[in-house]
Amino acid sequence: MKRFISLLLLQGMVQKPMEKWFWSKRPILSTPFFGKIMSEIKYSLIMKFLHFENSDAFDENLHLNPKLRKVSELHSMLVQRFKSVYAPKQDISVNESLIAHKGRLGWKQYIPNKRARFGLKLFQLCESESGYIWNSCIYTGKGTVFHSDYNHLGVSTKSVMTLLHDLKGKGYCLTTDNYYTSPELAELLINSKTDICGTLRPNRKGLPALLKSSAVKKGEIIAFQKGKMCVMKWKDKKTLHMLSTFHNADMMEVKCNKENSAVKVKPKAVLLYNATMGGVDRSDQCLSYYPVVRNQQRKYYKKIFRHLLNQAVWNSFVIYKKNVGRLNHIGFQMKLVERLIEVGGTDPSAHRYVTPKESENIVRLIGRHFPSYVESDCSEKRKSVRKCVVCCLATNENGKRIRRETRFECKDCNVGLCAAPSFEKYHTVTVL
């Protein structure tokens, strides 16, 4: 399975329009490394029968989320692991993400401001600075499972409270956009010792009527305070409504990056929003560089599996960088693929008759290898010997390959080798 996962990750770095082209033998398309790790038939069979739940034990009346039953256990396991290995910094953000999918699915969503537009929607909580995906919830329409304490709330409010449930009372600062921000959510977060800052829709319940009706000129601001909650209306190029529980109407001078540009005055809440809102967008951007998800994948649960695998690699990279790692994103993913291949080994069926010059050196030059007799149930000589792959590389005076048989083999490498000196040479010399 490690070899299978390594090929999925490698497909994100070596991208091709069709999956079968990774095993193509045409010179202009050839990537022979894929065939050396796993044959196309074996890969296709694993992908075909890939499953994450026991269909025989499924009961629609007892399952919490029947729509997501094929991948719910995998998603829950990974999210729990994401939470346990890392605690995010103070600034966090909540936003929706989209897995591109145009197949037939009752809970497929349309989000026009996302690049994919159609797909599977996820509510995600990320660390603002790094984009670490700490928690996520897959939206399946009316049957979406939220925390039971918040079922009486609206979708936008209970999605935030569900994602934030384990971080309540710890002094976090949450940034949201106008889909989630509301006075109702702000009151709940204040009671949970959590601050919020975000853009606001002026037609939300509980807002002053003057906030929507009052006209402001460019650069002007009006604000209303209720306890810790402050709502404001400010106009720059467009009118902007904000809600914050730790800001007031204070303004701050900001100098643009352009040379000889004038100094602008903006509310502090707007500056914080611009600095901390991009956590989910940052993770989505980085996941799109080397995507494990393929558009041709028809089964939605396999597409979710690929996306979760992509998230796991990204979160691992974020933790690696926080521990002063020197590799960049693609370098880290390449090292991960190499390590998975080293641990998982190569496909014995693909290497049975491959010479050392053609085979990959990753496995045979590392680890501990021991000679053993060629096993056979027959007493005939031809059944109990194998060709020595090192000796058979040599040629005689006429330029023909020498055929030499041996009773010894290396089981880990699955090749026949003479006890001396071929066994030592095969496992120590890079180029034979």
Side-chain angles (χ1 to χ4, degrees):
M1 197 63 185
K2 291 184 176 67
R3 286 185 280 123
F4 175 75
I5 292 175
S6 69
L7 292 185
L8 291 179
L9 297 177
L10 194 57
Q11 288 176 11
M13 295 182 286
V14 185
Q15 299 179 25
K16 295 186 180 182
M18 300 180 67
E19 198 169 41
K20 65 180 181 180
W21 284 2
F22 289 104
W23 287 267
S24 174
K25 295 182 179 179
R26 296 180 64 178
I28 59 174
L29 298 174
S30 177
T31 46
F33 185 75
F34 281 83
K36 293 172 184 176
I37 300 303
M38 183 179 290
S39 66
E40 182 183 3
I41 296 175
K42 188 172 184 178
Y43 174 87
S44 301
L45 287 173
I46 294 176
M47 182 59 71
K48 180 179 180 180
F49 296 107
L50 192 64
H51 222 56
F52 306 103
E53 58 101 21
N54 185 3
S55 300
D56 296 333
F58 170 70
D59 188 346
E60 188 174 357
N61 298 322
L62 298 177
H63 201 280
L64 292 175
N65 194 353
K67 293 182 180 179
L68 209 60
R69 62 185 178 89
K70 292 189 176 182
V71 77
S72 60
E73 291 185 11
L74 176 68
H75 176 252
S76 300
M77 180 194 71
L78 279 176
V79 167
Q80 195 60 39
R81 183 58 60 91
F82 294 163
K83 292 179 180 179
S84 63
V85 299
Y86 180 71
K89 292 185 178 180
Q90 185 181 25
D91 292 320
I92 54 178
S93 61
V94 169
N95 206 345
E96 62 268 6
S97 180
L98 198 69
I99 307 173
H101 184 73
K102 291 189 177 181
R104 291 188 176 184
L105 199 62
W107 35 279
K108 180 176 62 178
Q109 298 293 304
Y110 171 69
I111 305 179
N113 61 346
K114 296 290 184 181
R115 183 178 180 182
R117 294 189 300 150
F118 294 94
L120 314 177
K121 185 168 76 171
L122 292 85
F123 298 114
Q124 289 186 177
L125 185 150
C126 295
E127 185 184 58
S128 298
E129 179 186 355
S130 64
Y132 182 89
I133 304 168
W134 194 81
N135 197 0
S136 63
C137 173
I138 302 175
Y139 181 72
T140 58
K142 190 176 181 180
T144 306
V145 176
F146 296 105
H147 198 280
S148 58
D149 293 348
Y150 314 114
N151 285 334
H152 63 285
L153 302 172
V155 174
S156 61
T157 302
K158 64 184 177 184
S159 61
V160 174
M161 296 304 297
T162 299
L163 294 174
L164 199 67
H165 182 74
D166 294 332
L167 297 179
K168 291 195 318 182
K170 297 182 179 180
Y172 279 91
C173 297
L174 176 67
T175 309
T176 57
D177 63 12
N178 59 19
Y179 175 75
Y180 305 96
T181 312
S182 66
E184 179 188 36
L185 176 62
E187 291 287 353
L188 291 171
L189 293 178
I190 290 171
N191 295 333
S192 302
K193 298 181 181 179
T194 304
D195 286 313
I196 181 174
C197 176
T199 55
L200 181 69
R201 295 178 183 177
N203 58 352
R204 292 285 191 183
K205 290 183 180 180
L207 293 177
L210 287 174
L211 185 71
K212 185 177 181 180
S213 60
S214 299
V216 292
K217 297 180 181 179
K218 184 174 181 179
E220 292 183 347
I221 183 172
I222 58 172
F224 300 87
Q225 188 84 26
K226 180 185 176 182
K228 284 191 67 177
M229 192 190 326
C230 176
V231 293
M232 61 193 79
K233 184 177 184 179
W234 174 68
K235 186 171 183 180
D236 187 23
K237 292 182 180 179
K238 293 182 179 180
T239 303
L240 179 67
H241 299 82
M242 296 284 297
L243 182 149
S244 178
T245 59
F246 57 105
H247 289 100
N248 50 26
D250 289 347
M251 308 288 280
M252 185 176 180
E253 292 184 351
V254 180
K255 187 176 181 180
C256 297
N257 295 329
K258 296 181 181 179
E259 295 182 2
N260 302 323
S261 59
V263 176
K264 291 187 176 181
V265 180
K266 296 183 179 181
K268 290 184 178 180
V270 174
L271 297 177
L272 180 83
Y273 177 85
N274 292 338
T276 59
M277 184 56 204
V280 177
D281 293 334
R282 182 175 289 107
S283 64
D284 285 346
Q285 179 183 1
C286 294
L287 291 181
S288 67
Y289 292 152
Y290 318 109
V292 179
V293 180
R294 296 191 65 83
N295 293 331
Q296 294 85 356
Q297 194 83 58
R298 294 184 179 181
K299 301 292 185 181
Y300 77 91
Y301 63 92
K302 294 180 182 179
K303 187 163 282 190
I304 293 175
F305 159 69
R306 285 175 175 264
H307 185 75
L308 293 175
L309 177 61
N310 218 6
Q311 286 186 348
V313 174
W314 166 247
N315 282 352
S316 302
F317 172 68
V318 172
I319 295 174
Y320 167 78
K321 293 297 287 185
K322 287 183 177 292
N323 286 280
V324 201
R326 296 183 178 181
L327 295 175
N328 57 9
H329 189 189
I330 190 170
F332 174 82
Q333 193 157 328
M334 288 175 66
K335 280 289 184 183
L336 177 61
V337 170
E338 290 175 355
R339 182 58 182 158
L340 285 171
I341 293 171
E342 289 174 8
V343 175
T346 52
D347 191 355
S349 61
H351 279 263
R352 183 76 181 179
Y353 303 106
V354 177
T355 61
K357 278 188 176 180
E358 298 170 345
S359 61
E360 186 60 38
N361 294 327
I362 293 176
V363 178
R364 69 180 178 91
L365 298 177
I366 62 173
R368 304 177 67 187
H369 301 267
F370 300 96
S372 58
Y373 286 106
V374 178
E375 296 180 359
S376 177
D377 297 332
C378 303
S379 59
E380 299 179 15
K381 178 184 176 183
R382 62 185 179 87
K383 294 292 184 179
S384 59
V385 296
R386 296 182 65 176
K387 289 182 182 180
C388 175
V389 293
V390 176
C391 296
C392 290
L393 292 175
T395 56
N396 58 18
E397 297 176 354
N398 299 325
K400 294 183 179 181
R401 289 285 179 92
I402 297 175
R403 178 184 176 89
R404 182 166 295 173
E405 296 178 339
T406 177
R407 295 185 61 193
F408 298 95
E409 67 177 354
C410 177
K411 288 186 176 180
D412 293 334
C413 302
N414 196 24
V415 292
L417 293 166
C418 294
S422 299
F423 194 91
E424 179 183 357
K425 185 177 180 181
Y426 181 81
H427 293 107
T428 55
V429 179
T430 305
V431 180
L432 298 173

